[in-house]
Structures are given as structure tokens and as C-alpha cells.
Amino acid sequence: MQMTSDTTIPAPTARAPIWLRIGFWGCIVIAVAVVIRRLFALAAVRPASSRFEGLDTAFANHTALTLAHILPALVFVILAPIVVFGKTPRFAWAEQLLFPIGAIVGLTAYAMSLYSIGGWLERSAVLFFDTLFLFSLFRAYRYRQSGDLPRERRWLLLSIGILLGIATTRPVMGVFFATSRLTHLAPSQFFGMAFWVGFSINTIIVGLWLRARRRA
């Protein structure tokens, strides 16, 4: 059963606690800022700073793939608040777009993992959480096709939360950068740990919140 255009999309986030909303918007802002910064770095003749020179060079060596990944990711992140907080049928178009765009983001993430800065530790985090993201997105799409809106909503929110884990990794990386003089860890050593921590935080928090709402 296909969902009709006049179907009201349920919005379980309407009663989300304030800390969860703050975290959501914080992830949105960070994710957008990361993409914009990467676009400027790719367009620059020289890296913006010596601190990120090695990282910028690594992404610049695969410019086409990087753009194929971050531009759809930017669109996904911009659409996410519309999908999460949209309560009326007029926002159904955003949800419909989220599925193909999310698929592009997930598939290009697999390709990006071949050039992981953090080696196999980072690659393992990307492969695990990217697969979980695509699985959640696919489940949401299947429930949408069958007209099961509550289950579609839960799986879609989970997929959004997982993807925004890339934003949570940035503060974690900031901690590693700030303490690098003490730990003597290079980005190639702590990027993998940051990915596992950042994505795990988002996946666990969103998963537990959805589980609690389902029981309630």
C-alpha cells in the first residue's frame, strides 16, 4: 500500500527532551560547517593551515569522489530537520528525497573508506556504521512502501542519527588534537578511535531514545 499525498507524517520528536534537540541541531551545524570547510579546502591553491595540510592533501587527491560524497551528504543534512520536525503532508517531498540521497551518501562512503586516513580502525568504523545506516534507511523505505508509518519513522530517525555521527566525531577529534602533545598521537592513529566513539555515541543515544518511546 503506497502512502498517499494527504497522509499526515507522524512526528515522534515533538516531545523529544531539550538536550536531544540541542544535540541534534549541534550535529546539523557541525556537519554543514565540515562540508563547507572541505569545499573551501578543495578549492584552495594551498591548504588552509599546516595543521590540516596532510588531511587536505589526502582529500584533494580524490577530489571527484570527495565531492560525490560530501555534496549529497550536505543535502541530506539540510533535509534532515525538515523530515524530523515536519508534521504536515507538505513536507513529504523532503522525506521522499532523503532515501535516494541517503543511498548515494552510503555507497560513496564505502568508496571513501578505501582511502581512510586512520587506516583499518577508521575503515572498520565506516564499514560497520555505514552498513547500519543503509540497512536502517532500507528498512524505513520498505515500511513506507507498505504504509507502516510508525515503523518507517523509527527506522528513518535511526538512520538520520547514525549519519549525524560524523558530526559527533569532530569534537572527539578536537580533543585528540588538543591533547596530541601529551599523547603523541598523529591523526592517522586517532582518527579511527574518533570515528568509533562519535558514531557509537549517536547510534546508542538515538537507539535508546527510540526504544524508550516505543515502550511508552
Side-chain angles (χ1 to χ4, degrees):
M1 182 177 67
Q2 297 292 335
M3 187 173 66
T4 59
S5 59
D6 61 343
T7 302
T8 300
I9 302 174
T13 53
R15 298 179 182 177
I18 186 64
W19 61 266
L20 190 60
R21 291 187 172 215
I22 292 175
F24 173 80
W25 284 110
C27 286
I28 294 293
V29 171
I30 294 174
V32 171
V34 167
V35 173
I36 293 175
R37 194 266 167 194
R38 178 56 51 209
L39 291 174
F40 274 104
L42 290 174
V45 177
R46 297 180 181 179
S49 66
S50 59
R51 184 183 186 185
F52 299 104
E53 183 175 355
L55 305 180
D56 292 339
T57 301
F59 285 108
N61 289 336
H62 310 283
T63 301
L65 177 58
T66 300
L67 291 175
H69 178 66
I70 66 174
L71 291 179
L74 178 61
V75 177
F76 188 100
V77 170
I78 292 174
L79 291 176
I82 302 175
V83 172
V84 171
F85 297 107
K87 302 177 183 180
T88 62
R90 62 177 177 171
F91 296 114
W93 62 269
E95 187 171 309
Q96 292 172 356
L97 283 176
L98 213 62
F99 291 104
I101 293 174
I104 295 173
V105 174
L107 294 176
T108 53
Y110 283 131
M112 291 283 288
S113 69
L114 297 175
Y115 313 103
S116 298
I117 296 172
W120 272 105
L121 187 59
E122 178 186 339
R123 188 173 298 120
S124 64
V126 172
L127 294 177
F128 177 81
F129 289 104
D130 189 34
T131 301
L132 186 59
F133 162 73
L134 289 173
F135 174 77
S136 302
L137 195 68
F138 177 73
R139 289 294 298 272
Y141 179 77
R142 290 296 300 271
Y143 282 125
R144 177 185 176 85
Q145 294 299 99
S146 64
D148 192 339
L149 299 183
R151 285 191 174 91
E152 180 223 353
R153 189 71 176 179
R154 285 197 294 270
W155 284 99
L156 188 59
L157 290 177
L158 180 59
S159 67
I160 292 173
I162 294 171
L163 183 135
L164 290 178
I166 192 62
T168 309
T169 63
R170 265 46 191 187
V172 178
M173 290 179 185
V175 173
F176 278 110
F177 272 116
T179 59
S180 59
R181 292 185 178 180
L182 298 176
T183 62
H184 304 290
L185 294 175
S188 59
Q189 296 172 301
F190 65 70
F191 257 52
M193 291 183 281
F195 268 63
W196 272 105
V197 173
F199 279 104
S200 294
I201 289 174
N202 273 42
T203 303
I204 292 173
I205 289 178
V206 175
L208 290 177
W209 177 69
L210 290 173
R211 184 181 182 87
R213 283 196 58 81
R214 185 179 181 183
R215 289 180 175 178

PDB file of all heavy atoms in Angstrom, residues 92-129:
ATOM      1  N   ALA A  92       6.299  16.037   2.803  1.00  0.00           N
ATOM      2  CA  ALA A  92       6.535  14.660   2.358  1.00  0.00           C
ATOM      3  C   ALA A  92       7.603  14.592   1.273  1.00  0.00           C
ATOM      4  O   ALA A  92       8.319  13.597   1.168  1.00  0.00           O
ATOM      5  CB  ALA A  92       5.236  14.037   1.864  1.00  0.00           C
ATOM      6  N   TRP A  93       7.744  15.648   0.487  1.00  0.00           N
ATOM      7  CA  TRP A  93       8.749  15.655  -0.581  1.00  0.00           C
ATOM      8  C   TRP A  93      10.160  15.509  -0.021  1.00  0.00           C
ATOM      9  O   TRP A  93      11.015  14.852  -0.635  1.00  0.00           O
ATOM     10  CB  TRP A  93       8.659  16.953  -1.377  1.00  0.00           C
ATOM     11  CG  TRP A  93       8.927  18.185  -0.559  1.00  0.00           C
ATOM     12  CD1 TRP A  93       8.009  18.938   0.115  1.00  0.00           C
ATOM     13  CD2 TRP A  93      10.212  18.783  -0.306  1.00  0.00           C
ATOM     14  NE1 TRP A  93       8.633  19.972   0.782  1.00  0.00           N
ATOM     15  CE2 TRP A  93       9.977  19.900   0.538  1.00  0.00           C
ATOM     16  CE3 TRP A  93      11.505  18.492  -0.693  1.00  0.00           C
ATOM     17  CZ2 TRP A  93      11.004  20.729   0.983  1.00  0.00           C
ATOM     18  CZ3 TRP A  93      12.534  19.313  -0.256  1.00  0.00           C
ATOM     19  CH2 TRP A  93      12.287  20.419   0.575  1.00  0.00           C
ATOM     20  N   ALA A  94      10.403  16.109   1.153  1.00  0.00           N
ATOM     21  CA  ALA A  94      11.739  16.029   1.756  1.00  0.00           C
ATOM     22  C   ALA A  94      12.061  14.599   2.156  1.00  0.00           C
ATOM     23  O   ALA A  94      13.176  14.113   1.962  1.00  0.00           O
ATOM     24  CB  ALA A  94      11.821  16.953   2.968  1.00  0.00           C
ATOM     25  N   GLU A  95      11.070  13.920   2.694  1.00  0.00           N
ATOM     26  CA  GLU A  95      11.278  12.533   3.093  1.00  0.00           C
ATOM     27  C   GLU A  95      11.515  11.649   1.887  1.00  0.00           C
ATOM     28  O   GLU A  95      12.349  10.742   1.916  1.00  0.00           O
ATOM     29  CB  GLU A  95      10.074  12.046   3.898  1.00  0.00           C
ATOM     30  CG  GLU A  95      10.259  10.668   4.501  1.00  0.00           C
ATOM     31  CD  GLU A  95       9.144  10.324   5.469  1.00  0.00           C
ATOM     32  OE1 GLU A  95       8.859  11.138   6.358  1.00  0.00           O
ATOM     33  OE2 GLU A  95       8.559   9.235   5.316  1.00  0.00           O
ATOM     34  N   GLN A  96      10.800  11.901   0.808  1.00  0.00           N
ATOM     35  CA  GLN A  96      10.981  11.116  -0.413  1.00  0.00           C
ATOM     36  C   GLN A  96      12.385  11.298  -0.986  1.00  0.00           C
ATOM     37  O   GLN A  96      12.991  10.350  -1.482  1.00  0.00           O
ATOM     38  CB  GLN A  96       9.924  11.517  -1.437  1.00  0.00           C
ATOM     39  CG  GLN A  96       8.515  11.127  -1.045  1.00  0.00           C
ATOM     40  CD  GLN A  96       7.459  11.710  -1.975  1.00  0.00           C
ATOM     41  OE1 GLN A  96       7.773  12.470  -2.882  1.00  0.00           O
ATOM     42  NE2 GLN A  96       6.205  11.364  -1.731  1.00  0.00           N
ATOM     43  N   LEU A  97      12.914  12.510  -0.910  1.00  0.00           N
ATOM     44  CA  LEU A  97      14.263  12.776  -1.413  1.00  0.00           C
ATOM     45  C   LEU A  97      15.340  12.143  -0.546  1.00  0.00           C
ATOM     46  O   LEU A  97      16.424  11.811  -1.025  1.00  0.00           O
ATOM     47  CB  LEU A  97      14.512  14.283  -1.498  1.00  0.00           C
ATOM     48  CG  LEU A  97      13.892  15.034  -2.669  1.00  0.00           C
ATOM     49  CD1 LEU A  97      14.155  16.526  -2.537  1.00  0.00           C
ATOM     50  CD2 LEU A  97      14.456  14.515  -3.988  1.00  0.00           C
ATOM     51  N   LEU A  98      15.026  12.000   0.732  1.00  0.00           N
ATOM     52  CA  LEU A  98      16.035  11.516   1.670  1.00  0.00           C
ATOM     53  C   LEU A  98      16.506  10.106   1.332  1.00  0.00           C
ATOM     54  O   LEU A  98      17.680   9.778   1.552  1.00  0.00           O
ATOM     55  CB  LEU A  98      15.457  11.540   3.095  1.00  0.00           C
ATOM     56  CG  LEU A  98      16.456  11.829   4.227  1.00  0.00           C
ATOM     57  CD1 LEU A  98      17.062  13.204   4.046  1.00  0.00           C
ATOM     58  CD2 LEU A  98      15.747  11.746   5.574  1.00  0.00           C
ATOM     59  N   PHE A  99      15.638   9.287   0.786  1.00  0.00           N
ATOM     60  CA  PHE A  99      16.007   7.892   0.511  1.00  0.00           C
ATOM     61  C   PHE A  99      17.050   7.770  -0.605  1.00  0.00           C
ATOM     62  O   PHE A  99      18.106   7.141  -0.386  1.00  0.00           O
ATOM     63  CB  PHE A  99      14.758   7.073   0.184  1.00  0.00           C
ATOM     64  CG  PHE A  99      13.857   6.875   1.364  1.00  0.00           C
ATOM     65  CD1 PHE A  99      12.677   7.600   1.485  1.00  0.00           C
ATOM     66  CD2 PHE A  99      14.191   5.986   2.374  1.00  0.00           C
ATOM     67  CE1 PHE A  99      11.844   7.425   2.576  1.00  0.00           C
ATOM     68  CE2 PHE A  99      13.366   5.801   3.470  1.00  0.00           C
ATOM     69  CZ  PHE A  99      12.186   6.532   3.574  1.00  0.00           C
ATOM     70  N   PRO A 100      16.855   8.331  -1.800  1.00  0.00           N
ATOM     71  CA  PRO A 100      17.902   8.207  -2.827  1.00  0.00           C
ATOM     72  C   PRO A 100      19.183   8.945  -2.461  1.00  0.00           C
ATOM     73  O   PRO A 100      20.278   8.458  -2.737  1.00  0.00           O
ATOM     74  CB  PRO A 100      17.245   8.803  -4.080  1.00  0.00           C
ATOM     75  CG  PRO A 100      16.170   9.691  -3.568  1.00  0.00           C
ATOM     76  CD  PRO A 100      15.660   9.037  -2.322  1.00  0.00           C
ATOM     77  N   ILE A 101      19.036  10.106  -1.831  1.00  0.00           N
ATOM     78  CA  ILE A 101      20.233  10.859  -1.444  1.00  0.00           C
ATOM     79  C   ILE A 101      21.013  10.103  -0.379  1.00  0.00           C
ATOM     80  O   ILE A 101      22.252  10.033  -0.422  1.00  0.00           O
ATOM     81  CB  ILE A 101      19.837  12.262  -0.945  1.00  0.00           C
ATOM     82  CG1 ILE A 101      19.269  13.086  -2.103  1.00  0.00           C
ATOM     83  CG2 ILE A 101      21.040  12.973  -0.336  1.00  0.00           C
ATOM     84  CD1 ILE A 101      18.709  14.422  -1.684  1.00  0.00           C
ATOM     85  N   GLY A 102      20.298   9.521   0.571  1.00  0.00           N
ATOM     86  CA  GLY A 102      20.963   8.726   1.598  1.00  0.00           C
ATOM     87  C   GLY A 102      21.683   7.527   1.016  1.00  0.00           C
ATOM     88  O   GLY A 102      22.774   7.162   1.469  1.00  0.00           O
ATOM     89  N   ALA A 103      21.080   6.912  -0.005  1.00  0.00           N
ATOM     90  CA  ALA A 103      21.729   5.772  -0.653  1.00  0.00           C
ATOM     91  C   ALA A 103      23.036   6.200  -1.313  1.00  0.00           C
ATOM     92  O   ALA A 103      24.046   5.477  -1.232  1.00  0.00           O
ATOM     93  CB  ALA A 103      20.791   5.162  -1.691  1.00  0.00           C
ATOM     94  N   ILE A 104      23.034   7.366  -1.951  1.00  0.00           N
ATOM     95  CA  ILE A 104      24.267   7.870  -2.579  1.00  0.00           C
ATOM     96  C   ILE A 104      25.335   8.129  -1.534  1.00  0.00           C
ATOM     97  O   ILE A 104      26.505   7.769  -1.706  1.00  0.00           O
ATOM     98  CB  ILE A 104      23.966   9.153  -3.379  1.00  0.00           C
ATOM     99  CG1 ILE A 104      23.041   8.855  -4.550  1.00  0.00           C
ATOM    100  CG2 ILE A 104      25.261   9.794  -3.872  1.00  0.00           C
ATOM    101  CD1 ILE A 104      22.565  10.094  -5.280  1.00  0.00           C
ATOM    102  N   VAL A 105      24.929   8.754  -0.439  1.00  0.00           N
ATOM    103  CA  VAL A 105      25.889   9.044   0.643  1.00  0.00           C
ATOM    104  C   VAL A 105      26.498   7.745   1.181  1.00  0.00           C
ATOM    105  O   VAL A 105      27.713   7.641   1.378  1.00  0.00           O
ATOM    106  CB  VAL A 105      25.207   9.819   1.788  1.00  0.00           C
ATOM    107  CG1 VAL A 105      26.164   9.984   2.962  1.00  0.00           C
ATOM    108  CG2 VAL A 105      24.746  11.188   1.301  1.00  0.00           C
ATOM    109  N   GLY A 106      25.643   6.748   1.416  1.00  0.00           N
ATOM    110  CA  GLY A 106      26.137   5.487   1.958  1.00  0.00           C
ATOM    111  C   GLY A 106      27.054   4.744   1.017  1.00  0.00           C
ATOM    112  O   GLY A 106      28.098   4.231   1.422  1.00  0.00           O
ATOM    113  N   LEU A 107      26.698   4.695  -0.260  1.00  0.00           N
ATOM    114  CA  LEU A 107      27.521   3.969  -1.238  1.00  0.00           C
ATOM    115  C   LEU A 107      28.867   4.657  -1.465  1.00  0.00           C
ATOM    116  O   LEU A 107      29.896   3.992  -1.574  1.00  0.00           O
ATOM    117  CB  LEU A 107      26.756   3.833  -2.552  1.00  0.00           C
ATOM    118  CG  LEU A 107      25.501   2.950  -2.494  1.00  0.00           C
ATOM    119  CD1 LEU A 107      24.769   2.973  -3.828  1.00  0.00           C
ATOM    120  CD2 LEU A 107      25.867   1.514  -2.113  1.00  0.00           C
ATOM    121  N   THR A 108      28.864   5.979  -1.541  1.00  0.00           N
ATOM    122  CA  THR A 108      30.137   6.690  -1.728  1.00  0.00           C
ATOM    123  C   THR A 108      31.001   6.609  -0.470  1.00  0.00           C
ATOM    124  O   THR A 108      32.227   6.696  -0.559  1.00  0.00           O
ATOM    125  CB  THR A 108      29.896   8.159  -2.103  1.00  0.00           C
ATOM    126  OG1 THR A 108      29.013   8.765  -1.139  1.00  0.00           O
ATOM    127  CG2 THR A 108      29.296   8.280  -3.490  1.00  0.00           C
ATOM    128  N   ALA A 109      30.367   6.440   0.693  1.00  0.00           N
ATOM    129  CA  ALA A 109      31.152   6.275   1.921  1.00  0.00           C
ATOM    130  C   ALA A 109      31.972   4.991   1.868  1.00  0.00           C
ATOM    131  O   ALA A 109      33.111   4.947   2.362  1.00  0.00           O
ATOM    132  CB  ALA A 109      30.228   6.265   3.137  1.00  0.00           C
ATOM    133  N   TYR A 110      31.400   3.941   1.269  1.00  0.00           N
ATOM    134  CA  TYR A 110      32.173   2.711   1.092  1.00  0.00           C
ATOM    135  C   TYR A 110      33.418   2.983   0.249  1.00  0.00           C
ATOM    136  O   TYR A 110      34.519   2.513   0.566  1.00  0.00           O
ATOM    137  CB  TYR A 110      31.320   1.644   0.395  1.00  0.00           C
ATOM    138  CG  TYR A 110      30.314   0.964   1.279  1.00  0.00           C
ATOM    139  CD1 TYR A 110      28.989   0.831   0.873  1.00  0.00           C
ATOM    140  CD2 TYR A 110      30.678   0.424   2.505  1.00  0.00           C
ATOM    141  CE1 TYR A 110      28.053   0.188   1.676  1.00  0.00           C
ATOM    142  CE2 TYR A 110      29.758  -0.215   3.310  1.00  0.00           C
ATOM    143  CZ  TYR A 110      28.446  -0.331   2.894  1.00  0.00           C
ATOM    144  OH  TYR A 110      27.531  -0.968   3.704  1.00  0.00           O
ATOM    145  N   ALA A 111      33.247   3.737  -0.823  1.00  0.00           N
ATOM    146  CA  ALA A 111      34.390   4.048  -1.690  1.00  0.00           C
ATOM    147  C   ALA A 111      35.401   4.919  -0.962  1.00  0.00           C
ATOM    148  O   ALA A 111      36.619   4.725  -1.096  1.00  0.00           O
ATOM    149  CB  ALA A 111      33.896   4.742  -2.964  1.00  0.00           C
ATOM    150  N   MET A 112      34.911   5.879  -0.174  1.00  0.00           N
ATOM    151  CA  MET A 112      35.805   6.762   0.575  1.00  0.00           C
ATOM    152  C   MET A 112      36.638   5.992   1.599  1.00  0.00           C
ATOM    153  O   MET A 112      37.763   6.371   1.918  1.00  0.00           O
ATOM    154  CB  MET A 112      34.997   7.838   1.290  1.00  0.00           C
ATOM    155  CG  MET A 112      34.346   8.873   0.393  1.00  0.00           C
ATOM    156  SD  MET A 112      35.514  10.120  -0.214  1.00  0.00           S
ATOM    157  CE  MET A 112      35.794  11.049   1.293  1.00  0.00           C
ATOM    158  N   SER A 113      36.077   4.899   2.108  1.00  0.00           N
ATOM    159  CA  SER A 113      36.782   4.126   3.134  1.00  0.00           C
ATOM    160  C   SER A 113      38.061   3.491   2.605  1.00  0.00           C
ATOM    161  O   SER A 113      38.942   3.100   3.383  1.00  0.00           O
ATOM    162  CB  SER A 113      35.866   3.044   3.700  1.00  0.00           C
ATOM    163  OG  SER A 113      35.595   2.036   2.738  1.00  0.00           O
ATOM    164  N   LEU A 114      38.170   3.381   1.282  1.00  0.00           N
ATOM    165  CA  LEU A 114      39.394   2.817   0.704  1.00  0.00           C
ATOM    166  C   LEU A 114      40.591   3.715   0.952  1.00  0.00           C
ATOM    167  O   LEU A 114      41.741   3.269   0.895  1.00  0.00           O
ATOM    168  CB  LEU A 114      39.204   2.608  -0.808  1.00  0.00           C
ATOM    169  CG  LEU A 114      38.125   1.609  -1.228  1.00  0.00           C
ATOM    170  CD1 LEU A 114      37.983   1.604  -2.748  1.00  0.00           C
ATOM    171  CD2 LEU A 114      38.473   0.215  -0.721  1.00  0.00           C
ATOM    172  N   TYR A 115      40.333   4.994   1.229  1.00  0.00           N
ATOM    173  CA  TYR A 115      41.412   5.968   1.447  1.00  0.00           C
ATOM    174  C   TYR A 115      41.348   6.531   2.861  1.00  0.00           C
ATOM    175  O   TYR A 115      41.606   7.710   3.083  1.00  0.00           O
ATOM    176  CB  TYR A 115      41.302   7.087   0.408  1.00  0.00           C
ATOM    177  CG  TYR A 115      41.106   6.583  -1.004  1.00  0.00           C
ATOM    178  CD1 TYR A 115      39.856   6.629  -1.625  1.00  0.00           C
ATOM    179  CD2 TYR A 115      42.168   6.022  -1.713  1.00  0.00           C
ATOM    180  CE1 TYR A 115      39.671   6.148  -2.915  1.00  0.00           C
ATOM    181  CE2 TYR A 115      41.988   5.535  -2.997  1.00  0.00           C
ATOM    182  CZ  TYR A 115      40.741   5.599  -3.598  1.00  0.00           C
ATOM    183  OH  TYR A 115      40.565   5.121  -4.870  1.00  0.00           O
ATOM    184  N   SER A 116      40.988   5.693   3.814  1.00  0.00           N
ATOM    185  CA  SER A 116      40.844   6.125   5.200  1.00  0.00           C
ATOM    186  C   SER A 116      42.161   6.641   5.758  1.00  0.00           C
ATOM    187  O   SER A 116      43.202   5.975   5.652  1.00  0.00           O
ATOM    188  CB  SER A 116      40.345   4.969   6.070  1.00  0.00           C
ATOM    189  OG  SER A 116      39.074   4.539   5.638  1.00  0.00           O
ATOM    190  N   ILE A 117      42.094   7.820   6.366  1.00  0.00           N
ATOM    191  CA  ILE A 117      43.282   8.410   6.987  1.00  0.00           C
ATOM    192  C   ILE A 117      43.704   7.595   8.201  1.00  0.00           C
ATOM    193  O   ILE A 117      44.889   7.431   8.476  1.00  0.00           O
ATOM    194  CB  ILE A 117      42.994   9.863   7.384  1.00  0.00           C
ATOM    195  CG1 ILE A 117      42.723  10.692   6.128  1.00  0.00           C
ATOM    196  CG2 ILE A 117      44.146  10.464   8.195  1.00  0.00           C
ATOM    197  CD1 ILE A 117      42.235  12.085   6.410  1.00  0.00           C
ATOM    198  N   GLY A 118      42.722   7.071   8.913  1.00  0.00           N
ATOM    199  CA  GLY A 118      43.009   6.313  10.125  1.00  0.00           C
ATOM    200  C   GLY A 118      43.226   4.825   9.903  1.00  0.00           C
ATOM    201  O   GLY A 118      43.209   4.047  10.863  1.00  0.00           O
ATOM    202  N   GLY A 119      43.409   4.425   8.660  1.00  0.00           N
ATOM    203  CA  GLY A 119      43.707   3.023   8.381  1.00  0.00           C
ATOM    204  C   GLY A 119      42.530   2.108   8.644  1.00  0.00           C
ATOM    205  O   GLY A 119      41.366   2.511   8.552  1.00  0.00           O
ATOM    206  N   TRP A 120      42.841   0.878   9.022  1.00  0.00           N
ATOM    207  CA  TRP A 120      41.795  -0.134   9.170  1.00  0.00           C
ATOM    208  C   TRP A 120      40.869   0.131  10.349  1.00  0.00           C
ATOM    209  O   TRP A 120      39.709  -0.277  10.336  1.00  0.00           O
ATOM    210  CB  TRP A 120      42.421  -1.518   9.315  1.00  0.00           C
ATOM    211  CG  TRP A 120      42.657  -2.158   7.981  1.00  0.00           C
ATOM    212  CD1 TRP A 120      43.846  -2.316   7.339  1.00  0.00           C
ATOM    213  CD2 TRP A 120      41.652  -2.694   7.111  1.00  0.00           C
ATOM    214  NE1 TRP A 120      43.657  -2.915   6.120  1.00  0.00           N
ATOM    215  CE2 TRP A 120      42.324  -3.160   5.953  1.00  0.00           C
ATOM    216  CE3 TRP A 120      40.267  -2.813   7.175  1.00  0.00           C
ATOM    217  CZ2 TRP A 120      41.639  -3.745   4.887  1.00  0.00           C
ATOM    218  CZ3 TRP A 120      39.583  -3.390   6.113  1.00  0.00           C
ATOM    219  CH2 TRP A 120      40.271  -3.852   4.986  1.00  0.00           C
ATOM    220  N   LEU A 121      41.338   0.819  11.374  1.00  0.00           N
ATOM    221  CA  LEU A 121      40.464   1.121  12.503  1.00  0.00           C
ATOM    222  C   LEU A 121      39.352   2.075  12.077  1.00  0.00           C
ATOM    223  O   LEU A 121      38.179   1.864  12.396  1.00  0.00           O
ATOM    224  CB  LEU A 121      41.274   1.721  13.656  1.00  0.00           C
ATOM    225  CG  LEU A 121      40.503   1.937  14.962  1.00  0.00           C
ATOM    226  CD1 LEU A 121      39.935   0.620  15.469  1.00  0.00           C
ATOM    227  CD2 LEU A 121      41.408   2.568  16.013  1.00  0.00           C
ATOM    228  N   GLU A 122      39.720   3.122  11.343  1.00  0.00           N
ATOM    229  CA  GLU A 122      38.704   4.033  10.812  1.00  0.00           C
ATOM    230  C   GLU A 122      37.836   3.329   9.779  1.00  0.00           C
ATOM    231  O   GLU A 122      36.615   3.494   9.758  1.00  0.00           O
ATOM    232  CB  GLU A 122      39.369   5.258  10.182  1.00  0.00           C
ATOM    233  CG  GLU A 122      38.371   6.224   9.553  1.00  0.00           C
ATOM    234  CD  GLU A 122      39.034   7.351   8.798  1.00  0.00           C
ATOM    235  OE1 GLU A 122      40.214   7.648   9.063  1.00  0.00           O
ATOM    236  OE2 GLU A 122      38.371   7.942   7.923  1.00  0.00           O
ATOM    237  N   ARG A 123      38.470   2.542   8.917  1.00  0.00           N
ATOM    238  CA  ARG A 123      37.723   1.847   7.870  1.00  0.00           C
ATOM    239  C   ARG A 123      36.689   0.897   8.476  1.00  0.00           C
ATOM    240  O   ARG A 123      35.565   0.788   7.977  1.00  0.00           O
ATOM    241  CB  ARG A 123      38.688   1.090   6.963  1.00  0.00           C
ATOM    242  CG  ARG A 123      38.033   0.488   5.729  1.00  0.00           C
ATOM    243  CD  ARG A 123      39.081  -0.109   4.800  1.00  0.00           C
ATOM    244  NE  ARG A 123      39.992   0.904   4.309  1.00  0.00           N
ATOM    245  CZ  ARG A 123      41.321   0.891   4.511  1.00  0.00           C
ATOM    246  NH1 ARG A 123      41.874  -0.095   5.207  1.00  0.00           N
ATOM    247  NH2 ARG A 123      42.071   1.852   4.025  1.00  0.00           N
ATOM    248  N   SER A 124      37.062   0.216   9.542  1.00  0.00           N
ATOM    249  CA  SER A 124      36.121  -0.714  10.170  1.00  0.00           C
ATOM    250  C   SER A 124      34.915   0.032  10.739  1.00  0.00           C
ATOM    251  O   SER A 124      33.777  -0.455  10.659  1.00  0.00           O
ATOM    252  CB  SER A 124      36.820  -1.505  11.285  1.00  0.00           C
ATOM    253  OG  SER A 124      37.254  -0.650  12.334  1.00  0.00           O
ATOM    254  N   ALA A 125      35.143   1.229  11.304  1.00  0.00           N
ATOM    255  CA  ALA A 125      34.038   2.026  11.835  1.00  0.00           C
ATOM    256  C   ALA A 125      33.114   2.475  10.704  1.00  0.00           C
ATOM    257  O   ALA A 125      31.888   2.406  10.827  1.00  0.00           O
ATOM    258  CB  ALA A 125      34.576   3.236  12.592  1.00  0.00           C
ATOM    259  N   VAL A 126      33.712   2.926   9.597  1.00  0.00           N
ATOM    260  CA  VAL A 126      32.914   3.372   8.461  1.00  0.00           C
ATOM    261  C   VAL A 126      32.090   2.212   7.900  1.00  0.00           C
ATOM    262  O   VAL A 126      30.890   2.352   7.657  1.00  0.00           O
ATOM    263  CB  VAL A 126      33.815   3.970   7.364  1.00  0.00           C
ATOM    264  CG1 VAL A 126      33.000   4.254   6.102  1.00  0.00           C
ATOM    265  CG2 VAL A 126      34.482   5.246   7.856  1.00  0.00           C
ATOM    266  N   LEU A 127      32.725   1.072   7.707  1.00  0.00           N
ATOM    267  CA  LEU A 127      32.019  -0.072   7.141  1.00  0.00           C
ATOM    268  C   LEU A 127      30.878  -0.529   8.049  1.00  0.00           C
ATOM    269  O   LEU A 127      29.783  -0.847   7.576  1.00  0.00           O
ATOM    270  CB  LEU A 127      32.993  -1.222   6.899  1.00  0.00           C
ATOM    271  CG  LEU A 127      34.077  -0.982   5.839  1.00  0.00           C
ATOM    272  CD1 LEU A 127      35.020  -2.171   5.745  1.00  0.00           C
ATOM    273  CD2 LEU A 127      33.443  -0.699   4.480  1.00  0.00           C
ATOM    274  N   PHE A 128      31.120  -0.547   9.344  1.00  0.00           N
ATOM    275  CA  PHE A 128      30.094  -1.006  10.278  1.00  0.00           C
ATOM    276  C   PHE A 128      28.912  -0.043  10.330  1.00  0.00           C
ATOM    277  O   PHE A 128      27.753  -0.437  10.131  1.00  0.00           O
ATOM    278  CB  PHE A 128      30.693  -1.171  11.680  1.00  0.00           C
ATOM    279  CG  PHE A 128      29.681  -1.584  12.721  1.00  0.00           C
ATOM    280  CD1 PHE A 128      29.304  -2.915  12.855  1.00  0.00           C
ATOM    281  CD2 PHE A 128      29.106  -0.646  13.563  1.00  0.00           C
ATOM    282  CE1 PHE A 128      28.367  -3.303  13.801  1.00  0.00           C
ATOM    283  CE2 PHE A 128      28.167  -1.012  14.509  1.00  0.00           C
ATOM    284  CZ  PHE A 128      27.803  -2.348  14.630  1.00  0.00           C
ATOM    285  N   PHE A 129      29.186   1.233  10.592  1.00  0.00           N
ATOM    286  CA  PHE A 129      28.102   2.185  10.773  1.00  0.00           C
ATOM    287  C   PHE A 129      27.458   2.578   9.448  1.00  0.00           C
ATOM    288  O   PHE A 129      26.265   2.901   9.409  1.00  0.00           O
ATOM    289  CB  PHE A 129      28.602   3.420  11.524  1.00  0.00           C
ATOM    290  CG  PHE A 129      28.910   3.155  12.969  1.00  0.00           C
ATOM    291  CD1 PHE A 129      30.222   3.037  13.410  1.00  0.00           C
ATOM    292  CD2 PHE A 129      27.881   2.993  13.890  1.00  0.00           C
ATOM    293  CE1 PHE A 129      30.508   2.786  14.738  1.00  0.00           C
ATOM    294  CE2 PHE A 129      28.156   2.728  15.222  1.00  0.00           C
ATOM    295  CZ  PHE A 129      29.472   2.628  15.651  1.00  0.00           C
TER     296      PHE A 129
END
